[in-house]
Amino acid sequence: MKNIRNFCIIAHIDHGKSTLADRLLEFTQTVDKRHMQAQLLDDMDLERERGITIKSHAIQMVYPYKGENYIFNLIDTPGHVDFSYEVSRSIAACEGALLLVDASQGIEAQTISNLYLAMGNDLEIIPVLNKVDLPGAMPDEVKDEMVDLLGCKREEIIHASGKAGIGIEEILNAVIERIPHPKGDPEAPLQALIFDSVYNSFRGIEVYFRIFNGRISKGDRIKFMATGKEYFADEVGVLKLTQEAQTVMEAGNVGYLISGIKEAKEVKVGDTITQSTNPCKSAIQGFEDVKPMVFAGIYPVETSEFEELRASMEKLQLNDASLVWEPETSAALGFGFRCGFLGMLHMEIVQERLEREFGMTVITTVPSVQFKAYTTKNELLVVNAPSELPDPNFLDRVEEPFIKAQIITKSDYVGGIIGLCMDKRGIIKNQVYLTTDRVELQFELPLSEIVFDFFDKLKTISRGYASLDYELIGFKESTMVKLDIMLNGEKVDALSAIVHREKAYEWGKRLCEKLRELIPRQMFEIAVQAAIGAKIIARETVKAMRKDVLAKCYGGDISRKRKLLEKQKKGKKRMRQVGNVEIPQEAFMAVLKLD
């Protein structure tokens, strides 16, 4: 066990985690030249297209050092705040972490939050200054920032470049020298933590685990402690570039398990694996429960595909444990699911993965956050969707979730960013100059305001130089109202939203204007209205298409034409009473892009 090292790579978005992982794999000759490609561990098309890591990826390397072979289990993690749950799980399976900082950008918000996560789990941190070969690199200034943040010595910081392959050997040597080997007793009862799982259509569910105590052999009868289910270990092995089967695996190692599990519900990430005959006394403390920030409905375009969508969601949840969902129905869209996401990017990725990996075309409703509503009888209702908010006359007060946002930016953009946050009903709490031109701002903001386009606007104002990290701090009372959208006099529940009273009028007006452009014209007039309770606050009209009924009347008496027009008018009126309006998918998405 003393020759095993388990570590992960943590950093802010785009600070070069996946590129550095490529160089480590090349240097240890885990991957030969033929199979090498950029961002090798990002195996989803989506990750390659966007250049972001969505999933954590584990891989094993062997590295000879001073005449001995060392086994490295490396986990490459995502950098985006929406996938921080992946990072927390990777950290739970490791003893050390490489903390990467971009030499041209310096320390950013996600660097700090990932660092605190790692420190909270007592990981050994190895600071690495990445991208030192860039023309815009400022190694000395950034090193000062790192020393202030970590309290490490200047000479402990390793200079590296993932692209040019600088400092790779130093990093590998530091991993052996500084990161402690795993502790555990191979003779104790088996105790292993599940930190990930993947669905394989041929072999059922593959479970990725880290053994803390004991050993697991092929053919053992094992038990999952949270679900109480028992299985046979058909195959265990280590994760190289491809899976390599082993007969036995001991404490400290990371590997995979295949036991022919078919049901997605039976595998819980964070669960403990033990042996049926000689179980361990207690389960391992897994990760904190995931707290979804944004809720949205996902519905199949064809109602008949509901069951298929359910199966797809279960398989996706295996691969993405931070996705939370439950069935719900909507008057406008039929049967579907109310899903909880960690943020808007997470929601976009889930929708895209459903379409690509499972061939499901889905409609997503307006995202909302979780509110707490108190009725006049002082009952507490948890509101995840606008349709669950009670009528105003039964409502006493509504509380909405607030977050603490930490924004790090250049000092030139402070004014614009404070303006943006004030506009979003934010309160500034703190302002600290990290260096002469880098500022850390702390705000308290309502979560519902940052759900939509806050991040985009922040990036625009700061020309891409601001980084955002946030955490929930609790609920506060606010004057929230439910804004209904009515088409042809009927409420469309999928377009409703819960908004702050001060913004309701402007929001309703803009939404009606947008819908007027997007709803296709019918043979009859459609009224698009925004209402709060029974009060209409905005209206637009989608004009009717005219059929020229006078085409056959050439010349002649006016009364003949009048009779035809009157007849047409009556028909249009009757049509408006029975006609229903088809809403295109773009209309649901329009709400997200109100500007």
Side-chain angles (χ1 to χ4, degrees):
M1 230 163 74
K2 69 179 198 317
N3 286 12
I4 297 178
R5 298 288 182 274
N6 298 321
F7 66 100
C8 57
I9 305 182
I10 54 176
H12 190 76
I13 310 157
D14 271 349
H15 280 204
K17 294 177 290 296
S18 299
T19 313
L20 185 75
D22 288 351
R23 293 296 87 73
L24 294 173
L25 293 175
E26 267 184 355
F27 193 85
T28 54
Q29 291 166 357
T30 307
V31 183
D32 54 20
K33 284 278 190 288
R34 236 175 9 159
H35 293 120
M36 196 60 210
Q37 52 173 345
Q39 279 83 38
L40 183 77
L41 295 177
D42 293 351
D43 47 15
M44 253 185 265
D45 300 344
L46 209 56
E47 292 180 314
R48 296 190 162 284
E49 275 170 34
R50 295 184 174 225
I52 56 176
T53 304
I54 295 168
K55 284 285 305 162
S56 295
H57 299 277
I59 191 163
Q60 191 174 86
M61 310 182 283
V62 177
Y63 178 60
Y65 179 71
K66 293 187 178 166
E68 287 190 58
N69 274 348
Y70 284 84
I71 292 174
F72 286 179
N73 290 310
L74 157 73
I75 303 180
D76 178 25
T77 63
H80 201 283
V81 64
D82 281 14
F83 305 116
S84 56
Y85 187 61
E86 290 283 333
V87 184
S88 77
R89 291 174 11 213
S90 306
I91 284 174
C94 293
E95 275 85 29
L98 297 179
L99 180 76
L100 258 59
V101 179
D102 185 330
S104 59
Q105 303 253 355
I107 285 173
E108 301 202 44
Q110 214 43 39
T111 317
I112 298 175
S113 79
N114 284 341
L115 172 71
Y116 288 153
L117 252 180
M119 284 178 157
N121 281 344
D122 293 335
L123 263 60
E124 181 63 42
I125 310 284
I126 298 180
V128 177
L129 187 65
N130 199 18
K131 307 193 187 183
V132 289
D133 57 331
L134 284 185
M138 310 171 292
D140 293 336
E141 289 96 319
V142 178
K143 266 177 138 177
D144 292 341
E145 286 182 28
M146 289 168 81
V147 170
D148 284 351
L149 178 69
L150 285 158
C152 61
K153 299 187 179 74
R154 281 184 79 96
E155 56 272 14
E156 284 177 8
I157 300 172
I158 301 172
H159 279 221
S161 162
K163 200 169 170 189
I166 301 167
I168 304 301
E169 195 172 349
E170 286 84 2
I171 290 174
L172 290 166
N173 296 346
V175 166
I176 293 172
E177 286 157 12
R178 298 192 209 169
I179 293 178
H181 62 76
K183 295 173 181 61
D185 180 4
E187 303 308 320
L190 173 67
Q191 195 183 29
L193 173 78
I194 300 177
F195 68 89
D196 208 349
S197 55
V198 183
Y199 180 77
N200 180 331
S201 49
F202 300 108
R203 315 187 62 180
I205 290 155
E206 300 173 359
V207 177
Y208 295 166
F209 61 85
R210 150 82 202 269
I211 308 177
F212 283 91
N213 287 311
R215 54 167 66 93
I216 185 168
S217 315
K218 186 177 172 172
D220 278 0
R221 190 166 173 75
I222 52 162
K223 178 180 175 184
F224 287 6
M225 290 184 85
T227 56
K229 293 275 171 77
E230 299 192 359
Y231 309 98
F232 283 105
D234 297 339
E235 185 183 313
V236 292
V238 292
L239 299 153
K240 291 281 179 70
L241 188 58
T242 51
Q243 295 171 341
E244 284 185 15
Q246 307 277 331
T247 48
V248 63
M249 290 181 68
E250 294 204 336
N253 224 324
V254 172
Y256 71 94
L257 159 79
I258 294 173
S259 53
I261 306 170
K262 300 282 184 292
E263 281 290 311
K265 294 188 200 68
E266 294 176 19
V267 179
K268 294 250 190 306
V269 168
D271 194 357
T272 305
I273 306 175
T274 186
Q275 261 148 353
S276 307
T277 48
N278 180 14
C280 56
K281 301 213 172 28
S282 62
I284 303 165
Q285 286 304 310
F287 334 99
E288 74 282 7
D289 269 343
V290 53
K291 295 186 200 73
M293 299 276 190
V294 179
F295 293 87
I298 287 187
Y299 293 85
V301 175
E302 295 295 326
T303 337
S304 57
E305 290 179 353
F306 174 71
E307 280 306 321
E308 210 177 313
L309 180 61
R310 179 195 286 271
S312 304
M313 296 283 275
E314 282 182 356
K315 288 169 192 168
L316 188 60
Q317 194 173 19
L318 279 178
N319 205 300
D320 182 354
S322 50
L323 175 66
V324 183
W325 54 271
E326 56 188 37
E328 74 160 359
T329 52
S330 145
L333 298 170
F335 291 103
F337 298 97
R338 166 89 3 202
C339 303
F341 307 97
L342 296 182
M344 289 296 280
L345 177 70
H346 186 209
M347 176 177 132
E348 210 177 301
I349 296 287
V350 166
Q351 191 184 345
E352 195 127 327
R353 283 183 71 181
L354 280 171
E355 286 181 10
R356 287 190 183 200
E357 293 171 28
F358 304 102
M360 302 292 310
T361 39
V362 292
I363 291 176
T364 317
T365 63
V366 186
S368 69
V369 299
Q370 191 172 58
F371 294 95
K372 287 183 177 173
Y374 289 89
T375 59
T376 42
K377 295 176 181 169
N378 213 15
E379 294 166 349
L380 166 66
L381 298 172
V382 174
V383 179
N384 283 334
S387 54
E388 296 169 8
L389 195 70
D391 282 337
N393 42 353
F394 298 117
L395 198 59
D396 178 41
R397 64 186 191 278
V398 177
E399 291 184 353
E400 63 171 337
F402 269 70
I403 58 159
K404 185 171 107 191
Q406 178 189 29
I407 299 170
I408 295 181
T409 182
K410 289 200 159 176
S411 50
D412 315 359
Y413 309 120
V414 170
I417 289 173
I418 291 177
L420 171 70
C421 293
M422 295 297 184
D423 185 42
K424 299 280 186 191
R425 305 188 284 131
I427 305 161
I428 185 160
K429 286 290 182 189
N430 201 355
Q431 181 175 352
V432 184
Y433 278 80
L434 301 170
T435 62
T436 46
D437 70 332
R438 282 170 74 77
V439 191
E440 181 189 326
L441 300 165
Q442 282 185 357
F443 288 94
E444 270 183 23
L445 285 155
L447 182 60
S448 57
E449 292 283 342
I450 75 155
V451 161
F452 290 111
D453 51 0
F454 180 77
F455 197 62
D456 298 345
K457 284 187 173 163
L458 180 69
K459 285 289 187 200
T460 314
I461 288 173
S462 67
R463 307 210 179 134
Y465 274 112
S467 58
L468 167 77
D469 183 47
Y470 58 84
E471 59 186 72
L472 263 170
I473 50 172
F475 286 78
K476 291 185 184 176
E477 191 178 334
S478 294
T479 49
M480 307 304 285
V481 292
K482 179 177 160 199
L483 182 70
D484 285 312
I485 297 295
M486 288 156 48
L487 292 183
N488 220 355
E490 283 185 21
K491 286 182 183 173
V492 182
D493 59 352
L495 287 171
S496 309
I498 298 175
V499 291
H500 196 263
R501 186 177 282 281
E502 287 171 12
K503 298 196 171 187
Y505 176 72
E506 178 198 357
W507 179 278
K509 187 166 174 290
R510 288 199 332 230
L511 191 50
C512 287
E513 285 167 4
K514 197 86 180 216
L515 287 171
R516 188 191 67 196
E517 296 163 18
L518 289 167
I519 290 174
R521 287 171 68 178
Q522 312 281 344
M523 294 303 285
F524 54 93
E525 225 176 58
I526 306 168
V528 182
Q529 295 165 311
I532 297 173
K535 186 182 175 195
I536 306 287
I537 57 167
R539 164 174 176 146
E540 293 287 335
T541 309
V542 179
K543 290 277 181 258
M545 286 194 293
R546 266 196 74 209
K547 180 182 171 191
D548 194 355
V549 288
L550 303 182
K552 57 179 186 267
C553 304
Y554 179 67
D557 189 8
I558 184 73
S559 58
R560 174 97 185 94
K561 295 178 186 171
R562 213 169 261 154
K563 184 180 167 191
L564 284 170
L565 288 170
E566 283 300 318
K567 192 176 164 193
Q568 187 186 30
K569 205 189 218 165
K570 274 183 194 153
K572 296 256 186 211
K573 192 176 174 185
R574 196 166 58 245
M575 254 168 128
R576 192 160 84 221
Q577 282 163 0
V578 297
N580 58 0
V581 187
E582 285 286 310
I583 308 169
Q585 164 77 15
E586 290 83 65
F588 294 108
M589 298 319 286
V591 190
L592 314 184
K593 299 185 177 67
L594 276 186
D595 229 349

